[in-house]
C-alpha cells in the first residue's frame, strides 16, 4: 500500500511538472517583441536571431496565424537588409509575399535589395508588383521611375 501511495505521489508530481512546463511555454509574441526592440535599438544581430528563432521553432511558429508569419518573414528580411545581407533578405521577402501577396512593402524592399545586388531587371519586377499591389503609392511609382 505504501508503494502505491509513493507511485501516485510521483505521478502527481510529474503531472504538475509537465503541466507547469506547458504553462510556462514561451510566447511567440514575446520573442517578436524582443526582436522588434532590438531592431529599434539598431541591434541587427539580436533582431535577426529573434525573428529566425520564431520561424525555426515549431512551438513558436505554430502560435502565429498566416498573416503574422508573413510579417515575421518581412521583419527578418528587413533586418537582414539593414545588416547588409540582401542575398539573405530576398528569400525572406519572397516568403512573406508567398503568405501575403498584397504586401506592397515587401515588394518595395525586395526591389531595393535586388537593386543593391546589381540585378536591375529583378528590381524592376518587384517594383512593378509593388505598384500593382498599391496603385496609389506615389513613392513606389517614383522608385520605379528611377529604375527605368
Amino acid at each position: 500500500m505504501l508503494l502505491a501511495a509513493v507511485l501516485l505521489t510521483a505521478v502527481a508530481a510529474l503531472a504538475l511538472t509537465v503541466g507547469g512546463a506547458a504553462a510556462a511555454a514561451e510566447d511567440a509574441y514575446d520573442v517578436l517583441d524582443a526582436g522588434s526592440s532590438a531592431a529599434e535599438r539598431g541591434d541587427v544581430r539580436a533582431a535577426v536571431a529573434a525573428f529566425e528563432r520564431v520561424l525555426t521553432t515549431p512551438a513558436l511558429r505554430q502560435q502565429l496565424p498566416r498573416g503574422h508569419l508573413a510579417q515575421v518573414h518581412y521583419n527578418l528580411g528587413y533586418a537582414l537588409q539593414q545588416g547588409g545581407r540582401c542575398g539573405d533578405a530576398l528569400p525572406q521577402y519572397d516568403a512573406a509575399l508567398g503568405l501575403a501577396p498584397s504586401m506592397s512593402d515587401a515588394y518595395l524592399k525586395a526591389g531595393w535589395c535586388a537593386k543593391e545586388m546589381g540585378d536591375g531587371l529583378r528590381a524592376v519586377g518587384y517594383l512593378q508588383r509593388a505598384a500593382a499591389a498599391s496603385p496609389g503609392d506615389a513613392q513606389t511609382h517614383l522608385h520605379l521611375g528611377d529604375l527605368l
Side-chain angles (χ1 to χ4, degrees), residues 25-55:
E26 193 167 24
D27 186 294
Y29 293 100
D30 290 340
V31 179
L32 293 175
D33 285 344
S36 295
S37 294
E40 288 173 10
R41 302 191 297 278
D43 188 348
V44 172
R45 185 177 303 185
V48 167
F51 299 140
E52 285 179 336
R53 191 157 149 240
V54 169
L55 292 172

PDB file of all heavy atoms in Angstrom, residues 25-55:
ATOM      1  N   ALA A  25       5.342  27.705 -21.320  1.00  0.00           N
ATOM      2  CA  ALA A  25       5.818  27.698 -22.701  1.00  0.00           C
ATOM      3  C   ALA A  25       6.022  29.131 -23.178  1.00  0.00           C
ATOM      4  O   ALA A  25       5.273  30.036 -22.834  1.00  0.00           O
ATOM      5  CB  ALA A  25       4.823  26.976 -23.603  1.00  0.00           C
ATOM      6  N   GLU A  26       7.018  29.276 -24.000  1.00  0.00           N
ATOM      7  CA  GLU A  26       7.374  30.608 -24.492  1.00  0.00           C
ATOM      8  C   GLU A  26       6.325  31.131 -25.466  1.00  0.00           C
ATOM      9  O   GLU A  26       5.774  30.399 -26.270  1.00  0.00           O
ATOM     10  CB  GLU A  26       8.729  30.501 -25.185  1.00  0.00           C
ATOM     11  CG  GLU A  26       9.353  31.811 -25.455  1.00  0.00           C
ATOM     12  CD  GLU A  26      10.808  31.659 -25.847  1.00  0.00           C
ATOM     13  OE1 GLU A  26      11.189  30.588 -26.335  1.00  0.00           O
ATOM     14  OE2 GLU A  26      11.538  32.633 -25.672  1.00  0.00           O
ATOM     15  N   ASP A  27       6.064  32.397 -25.387  1.00  0.00           N
ATOM     16  CA  ASP A  27       5.088  33.049 -26.248  1.00  0.00           C
ATOM     17  C   ASP A  27       5.813  33.657 -27.447  1.00  0.00           C
ATOM     18  O   ASP A  27       6.767  34.423 -27.291  1.00  0.00           O
ATOM     19  CB  ASP A  27       4.371  34.142 -25.450  1.00  0.00           C
ATOM     20  CG  ASP A  27       3.240  34.770 -26.239  1.00  0.00           C
ATOM     21  OD1 ASP A  27       3.517  35.430 -27.254  1.00  0.00           O
ATOM     22  OD2 ASP A  27       2.083  34.579 -25.836  1.00  0.00           O
ATOM     23  N   ALA A  28       5.364  33.319 -28.644  1.00  0.00           N
ATOM     24  CA  ALA A  28       5.997  33.818 -29.867  1.00  0.00           C
ATOM     25  C   ALA A  28       5.990  35.344 -29.911  1.00  0.00           C
ATOM     26  O   ALA A  28       6.952  35.962 -30.382  1.00  0.00           O
ATOM     27  CB  ALA A  28       5.276  33.253 -31.090  1.00  0.00           C
ATOM     28  N   TYR A  29       4.934  35.946 -29.414  1.00  0.00           N
ATOM     29  CA  TYR A  29       4.843  37.407 -29.474  1.00  0.00           C
ATOM     30  C   TYR A  29       5.853  38.080 -28.551  1.00  0.00           C
ATOM     31  O   TYR A  29       6.312  39.192 -28.852  1.00  0.00           O
ATOM     32  CB  TYR A  29       3.409  37.863 -29.190  1.00  0.00           C
ATOM     33  CG  TYR A  29       2.481  37.432 -30.301  1.00  0.00           C
ATOM     34  CD1 TYR A  29       1.672  36.309 -30.163  1.00  0.00           C
ATOM     35  CD2 TYR A  29       2.442  38.119 -31.510  1.00  0.00           C
ATOM     36  CE1 TYR A  29       0.842  35.898 -31.193  1.00  0.00           C
ATOM     37  CE2 TYR A  29       1.618  37.724 -32.539  1.00  0.00           C
ATOM     38  CZ  TYR A  29       0.819  36.602 -32.378  1.00  0.00           C
ATOM     39  OH  TYR A  29       0.001  36.197 -33.417  1.00  0.00           O
ATOM     40  N   ASP A  30       6.229  37.406 -27.453  1.00  0.00           N
ATOM     41  CA  ASP A  30       7.290  37.947 -26.599  1.00  0.00           C
ATOM     42  C   ASP A  30       8.620  37.950 -27.341  1.00  0.00           C
ATOM     43  O   ASP A  30       9.396  38.908 -27.256  1.00  0.00           O
ATOM     44  CB  ASP A  30       7.414  37.138 -25.301  1.00  0.00           C
ATOM     45  CG  ASP A  30       6.228  37.330 -24.371  1.00  0.00           C
ATOM     46  OD1 ASP A  30       5.498  38.338 -24.510  1.00  0.00           O
ATOM     47  OD2 ASP A  30       6.022  36.449 -23.505  1.00  0.00           O
ATOM     48  N   VAL A  31       8.884  36.878 -28.073  1.00  0.00           N
ATOM     49  CA  VAL A  31      10.128  36.797 -28.851  1.00  0.00           C
ATOM     50  C   VAL A  31      10.115  37.849 -29.960  1.00  0.00           C
ATOM     51  O   VAL A  31      11.117  38.515 -30.213  1.00  0.00           O
ATOM     52  CB  VAL A  31      10.326  35.377 -29.428  1.00  0.00           C
ATOM     53  CG1 VAL A  31      11.598  35.301 -30.260  1.00  0.00           C
ATOM     54  CG2 VAL A  31      10.353  34.335 -28.308  1.00  0.00           C
ATOM     55  N   LEU A  32       8.966  38.008 -30.607  1.00  0.00           N
ATOM     56  CA  LEU A  32       8.858  39.029 -31.661  1.00  0.00           C
ATOM     57  C   LEU A  32       9.043  40.428 -31.099  1.00  0.00           C
ATOM     58  O   LEU A  32       9.685  41.273 -31.728  1.00  0.00           O
ATOM     59  CB  LEU A  32       7.517  38.911 -32.376  1.00  0.00           C
ATOM     60  CG  LEU A  32       7.323  37.646 -33.198  1.00  0.00           C
ATOM     61  CD1 LEU A  32       5.912  37.587 -33.766  1.00  0.00           C
ATOM     62  CD2 LEU A  32       8.355  37.555 -34.304  1.00  0.00           C
ATOM     63  N   ASP A  33       8.482  40.682 -29.923  1.00  0.00           N
ATOM     64  CA  ASP A  33       8.672  41.989 -29.287  1.00  0.00           C
ATOM     65  C   ASP A  33      10.151  42.243 -29.010  1.00  0.00           C
ATOM     66  O   ASP A  33      10.646  43.358 -29.220  1.00  0.00           O
ATOM     67  CB  ASP A  33       7.878  42.084 -27.981  1.00  0.00           C
ATOM     68  CG  ASP A  33       6.388  42.261 -28.206  1.00  0.00           C
ATOM     69  OD1 ASP A  33       5.988  42.611 -29.343  1.00  0.00           O
ATOM     70  OD2 ASP A  33       5.616  42.034 -27.252  1.00  0.00           O
ATOM     71  N   ALA A  34      10.851  41.203 -28.553  1.00  0.00           N
ATOM     72  CA  ALA A  34      12.291  41.345 -28.299  1.00  0.00           C
ATOM     73  C   ALA A  34      13.033  41.634 -29.597  1.00  0.00           C
ATOM     74  O   ALA A  34      13.945  42.478 -29.629  1.00  0.00           O
ATOM     75  CB  ALA A  34      12.838  40.078 -27.635  1.00  0.00           C
ATOM     76  N   GLY A  35      12.640  40.973 -30.677  1.00  0.00           N
ATOM     77  CA  GLY A  35      13.265  41.226 -31.971  1.00  0.00           C
ATOM     78  C   GLY A  35      13.002  42.635 -32.465  1.00  0.00           C
ATOM     79  O   GLY A  35      13.907  43.308 -32.969  1.00  0.00           O
ATOM     80  N   SER A  36      11.772  43.091 -32.319  1.00  0.00           N
ATOM     81  CA  SER A  36      11.427  44.451 -32.741  1.00  0.00           C
ATOM     82  C   SER A  36      12.168  45.487 -31.913  1.00  0.00           C
ATOM     83  O   SER A  36      12.660  46.492 -32.455  1.00  0.00           O
ATOM     84  CB  SER A  36       9.920  44.671 -32.631  1.00  0.00           C
ATOM     85  OG  SER A  36       9.242  43.836 -33.542  1.00  0.00           O
ATOM     86  N   SER A  37      12.279  45.246 -30.609  1.00  0.00           N
ATOM     87  CA  SER A  37      13.024  46.169 -29.745  1.00  0.00           C
ATOM     88  C   SER A  37      14.495  46.216 -30.144  1.00  0.00           C
ATOM     89  O   SER A  37      15.099  47.289 -30.177  1.00  0.00           O
ATOM     90  CB  SER A  37      12.899  45.751 -28.275  1.00  0.00           C
ATOM     91  OG  SER A  37      11.574  45.893 -27.838  1.00  0.00           O
ATOM     92  N   ALA A  38      15.057  45.054 -30.448  1.00  0.00           N
ATOM     93  CA  ALA A  38      16.455  45.001 -30.876  1.00  0.00           C
ATOM     94  C   ALA A  38      16.633  45.787 -32.175  1.00  0.00           C
ATOM     95  O   ALA A  38      17.598  46.542 -32.333  1.00  0.00           O
ATOM     96  CB  ALA A  38      16.900  43.551 -31.050  1.00  0.00           C
ATOM     97  N   ALA A  39      15.708  45.616 -33.108  1.00  0.00           N
ATOM     98  CA  ALA A  39      15.793  46.338 -34.383  1.00  0.00           C
ATOM     99  C   ALA A  39      15.717  47.849 -34.153  1.00  0.00           C
ATOM    100  O   ALA A  39      16.464  48.616 -34.764  1.00  0.00           O
ATOM    101  CB  ALA A  39      14.680  45.880 -35.318  1.00  0.00           C
ATOM    102  N   GLU A  40      14.837  48.279 -33.267  1.00  0.00           N
ATOM    103  CA  GLU A  40      14.705  49.709 -32.967  1.00  0.00           C
ATOM    104  C   GLU A  40      15.975  50.283 -32.355  1.00  0.00           C
ATOM    105  O   GLU A  40      16.296  51.447 -32.576  1.00  0.00           O
ATOM    106  CB  GLU A  40      13.508  49.941 -32.040  1.00  0.00           C
ATOM    107  CG  GLU A  40      12.173  49.755 -32.723  1.00  0.00           C
ATOM    108  CD  GLU A  40      10.992  49.830 -31.763  1.00  0.00           C
ATOM    109  OE1 GLU A  40      11.191  50.224 -30.587  1.00  0.00           O
ATOM    110  OE2 GLU A  40       9.878  49.492 -32.198  1.00  0.00           O
ATOM    111  N   ARG A  41      16.706  49.458 -31.586  1.00  0.00           N
ATOM    112  CA  ARG A  41      17.969  49.897 -30.974  1.00  0.00           C
ATOM    113  C   ARG A  41      19.128  49.825 -31.960  1.00  0.00           C
ATOM    114  O   ARG A  41      20.239  50.231 -31.635  1.00  0.00           O
ATOM    115  CB  ARG A  41      18.372  49.014 -29.803  1.00  0.00           C
ATOM    116  CG  ARG A  41      17.515  48.835 -28.675  1.00  0.00           C
ATOM    117  CD  ARG A  41      18.252  48.132 -27.496  1.00  0.00           C
ATOM    118  NE  ARG A  41      18.709  46.792 -27.774  1.00  0.00           N
ATOM    119  CZ  ARG A  41      17.954  45.696 -27.705  1.00  0.00           C
ATOM    120  NH1 ARG A  41      16.680  45.790 -27.392  1.00  0.00           N
ATOM    121  NH2 ARG A  41      18.475  44.508 -27.943  1.00  0.00           N
ATOM    122  N   GLY A  42      18.880  49.238 -33.135  1.00  0.00           N
ATOM    123  CA  GLY A  42      19.948  49.072 -34.106  1.00  0.00           C
ATOM    124  C   GLY A  42      20.755  47.802 -33.911  1.00  0.00           C
ATOM    125  O   GLY A  42      21.805  47.631 -34.533  1.00  0.00           O
ATOM    126  N   ASP A  43      20.283  46.907 -33.064  1.00  0.00           N
ATOM    127  CA  ASP A  43      20.973  45.639 -32.815  1.00  0.00           C
ATOM    128  C   ASP A  43      20.460  44.604 -33.816  1.00  0.00           C
ATOM    129  O   ASP A  43      19.592  43.775 -33.511  1.00  0.00           O
ATOM    130  CB  ASP A  43      20.723  45.180 -31.370  1.00  0.00           C
ATOM    131  CG  ASP A  43      21.559  43.985 -30.964  1.00  0.00           C
ATOM    132  OD1 ASP A  43      22.177  43.350 -31.845  1.00  0.00           O
ATOM    133  OD2 ASP A  43      21.573  43.669 -29.756  1.00  0.00           O
ATOM    134  N   VAL A  44      21.002  44.671 -35.021  1.00  0.00           N
ATOM    135  CA  VAL A  44      20.548  43.826 -36.122  1.00  0.00           C
ATOM    136  C   VAL A  44      20.742  42.354 -35.791  1.00  0.00           C
ATOM    137  O   VAL A  44      19.867  41.528 -36.068  1.00  0.00           O
ATOM    138  CB  VAL A  44      21.280  44.205 -37.432  1.00  0.00           C
ATOM    139  CG1 VAL A  44      20.986  43.225 -38.543  1.00  0.00           C
ATOM    140  CG2 VAL A  44      20.910  45.624 -37.838  1.00  0.00           C
ATOM    141  N   ARG A  45      21.860  42.011 -35.202  1.00  0.00           N
ATOM    142  CA  ARG A  45      22.151  40.601 -34.895  1.00  0.00           C
ATOM    143  C   ARG A  45      21.089  40.003 -33.966  1.00  0.00           C
ATOM    144  O   ARG A  45      20.588  38.909 -34.208  1.00  0.00           O
ATOM    145  CB  ARG A  45      23.533  40.472 -34.265  1.00  0.00           C
ATOM    146  CG  ARG A  45      23.942  39.022 -34.038  1.00  0.00           C
ATOM    147  CD  ARG A  45      25.323  38.914 -33.499  1.00  0.00           C
ATOM    148  NE  ARG A  45      26.219  39.592 -34.442  1.00  0.00           N
ATOM    149  CZ  ARG A  45      27.520  39.614 -34.329  1.00  0.00           C
ATOM    150  NH1 ARG A  45      28.105  39.027 -33.324  1.00  0.00           N
ATOM    151  NH2 ARG A  45      28.269  40.252 -35.207  1.00  0.00           N
ATOM    152  N   ALA A  46      20.717  40.737 -32.923  1.00  0.00           N
ATOM    153  CA  ALA A  46      19.696  40.234 -31.990  1.00  0.00           C
ATOM    154  C   ALA A  46      18.321  40.179 -32.657  1.00  0.00           C
ATOM    155  O   ALA A  46      17.550  39.247 -32.411  1.00  0.00           O
ATOM    156  CB  ALA A  46      19.644  41.119 -30.739  1.00  0.00           C
ATOM    157  N   ALA A  47      18.023  41.153 -33.501  1.00  0.00           N
ATOM    158  CA  ALA A  47      16.739  41.153 -34.211  1.00  0.00           C
ATOM    159  C   ALA A  47      16.650  39.941 -35.126  1.00  0.00           C
ATOM    160  O   ALA A  47      15.647  39.214 -35.124  1.00  0.00           O
ATOM    161  CB  ALA A  47      16.572  42.439 -35.008  1.00  0.00           C
ATOM    162  N   VAL A  48      17.695  39.709 -35.904  1.00  0.00           N
ATOM    163  CA  VAL A  48      17.717  38.559 -36.812  1.00  0.00           C
ATOM    164  C   VAL A  48      17.565  37.266 -36.017  1.00  0.00           C
ATOM    165  O   VAL A  48      16.782  36.386 -36.391  1.00  0.00           O
ATOM    166  CB  VAL A  48      19.007  38.552 -37.665  1.00  0.00           C
ATOM    167  CG1 VAL A  48      19.207  37.221 -38.368  1.00  0.00           C
ATOM    168  CG2 VAL A  48      18.981  39.694 -38.675  1.00  0.00           C
ATOM    169  N   ALA A  49      18.288  37.150 -34.922  1.00  0.00           N
ATOM    170  CA  ALA A  49      18.222  35.925 -34.110  1.00  0.00           C
ATOM    171  C   ALA A  49      16.811  35.682 -33.590  1.00  0.00           C
ATOM    172  O   ALA A  49      16.314  34.546 -33.612  1.00  0.00           O
ATOM    173  CB  ALA A  49      19.216  36.006 -32.955  1.00  0.00           C
ATOM    174  N   ALA A  50      16.143  36.722 -33.132  1.00  0.00           N
ATOM    175  CA  ALA A  50      14.784  36.563 -32.602  1.00  0.00           C
ATOM    176  C   ALA A  50      13.805  36.148 -33.693  1.00  0.00           C
ATOM    177  O   ALA A  50      13.018  35.213 -33.518  1.00  0.00           O
ATOM    178  CB  ALA A  50      14.321  37.861 -31.934  1.00  0.00           C
ATOM    179  N   PHE A  51      13.854  36.826 -34.833  1.00  0.00           N
ATOM    180  CA  PHE A  51      12.920  36.507 -35.917  1.00  0.00           C
ATOM    181  C   PHE A  51      13.182  35.106 -36.468  1.00  0.00           C
ATOM    182  O   PHE A  51      12.243  34.354 -36.738  1.00  0.00           O
ATOM    183  CB  PHE A  51      12.992  37.556 -37.023  1.00  0.00           C
ATOM    184  CG  PHE A  51      12.624  38.948 -36.574  1.00  0.00           C
ATOM    185  CD1 PHE A  51      13.327  40.048 -37.017  1.00  0.00           C
ATOM    186  CD2 PHE A  51      11.570  39.159 -35.695  1.00  0.00           C
ATOM    187  CE1 PHE A  51      12.993  41.332 -36.604  1.00  0.00           C
ATOM    188  CE2 PHE A  51      11.216  40.436 -35.271  1.00  0.00           C
ATOM    189  CZ  PHE A  51      11.939  41.522 -35.726  1.00  0.00           C
ATOM    190  N   GLU A  52      14.466  34.750 -36.608  1.00  0.00           N
ATOM    191  CA  GLU A  52      14.794  33.400 -37.081  1.00  0.00           C
ATOM    192  C   GLU A  52      14.318  32.341 -36.087  1.00  0.00           C
ATOM    193  O   GLU A  52      13.852  31.280 -36.486  1.00  0.00           O
ATOM    194  CB  GLU A  52      16.298  33.260 -37.314  1.00  0.00           C
ATOM    195  CG  GLU A  52      16.774  33.939 -38.570  1.00  0.00           C
ATOM    196  CD  GLU A  52      18.262  33.815 -38.801  1.00  0.00           C
ATOM    197  OE1 GLU A  52      19.033  33.621 -37.827  1.00  0.00           O
ATOM    198  OE2 GLU A  52      18.683  33.934 -39.977  1.00  0.00           O
ATOM    199  N   ARG A  53      14.436  32.648 -34.817  1.00  0.00           N
ATOM    200  CA  ARG A  53      14.008  31.700 -33.781  1.00  0.00           C
ATOM    201  C   ARG A  53      12.524  31.397 -33.884  1.00  0.00           C
ATOM    202  O   ARG A  53      12.091  30.252 -33.761  1.00  0.00           O
ATOM    203  CB  ARG A  53      14.354  32.253 -32.406  1.00  0.00           C
ATOM    204  CG  ARG A  53      14.184  31.258 -31.324  1.00  0.00           C
ATOM    205  CD  ARG A  53      15.050  31.647 -30.125  1.00  0.00           C
ATOM    206  NE  ARG A  53      14.356  31.186 -28.958  1.00  0.00           N
ATOM    207  CZ  ARG A  53      13.936  31.943 -27.975  1.00  0.00           C
ATOM    208  NH1 ARG A  53      14.166  33.224 -27.990  1.00  0.00           N
ATOM    209  NH2 ARG A  53      13.311  31.419 -26.966  1.00  0.00           N
ATOM    210  N   VAL A  54      11.732  32.430 -34.097  1.00  0.00           N
ATOM    211  CA  VAL A  54      10.289  32.224 -34.234  1.00  0.00           C
ATOM    212  C   VAL A  54       9.987  31.357 -35.451  1.00  0.00           C
ATOM    213  O   VAL A  54       9.155  30.454 -35.397  1.00  0.00           O
ATOM    214  CB  VAL A  54       9.541  33.572 -34.317  1.00  0.00           C
ATOM    215  CG1 VAL A  54       8.091  33.366 -34.728  1.00  0.00           C
ATOM    216  CG2 VAL A  54       9.607  34.298 -32.978  1.00  0.00           C
ATOM    217  N   LEU A  55      10.694  31.618 -36.545  1.00  0.00           N
ATOM    218  CA  LEU A  55      10.416  30.888 -37.783  1.00  0.00           C
ATOM    219  C   LEU A  55      10.923  29.452 -37.769  1.00  0.00           C
ATOM    220  O   LEU A  55      10.378  28.601 -38.465  1.00  0.00           O
ATOM    221  CB  LEU A  55      11.012  31.636 -38.977  1.00  0.00           C
ATOM    222  CG  LEU A  55      10.349  32.968 -39.298  1.00  0.00           C
ATOM    223  CD1 LEU A  55      11.139  33.717 -40.359  1.00  0.00           C
ATOM    224  CD2 LEU A  55       8.900  32.768 -39.726  1.00  0.00           C
TER     225      LEU A  55
END
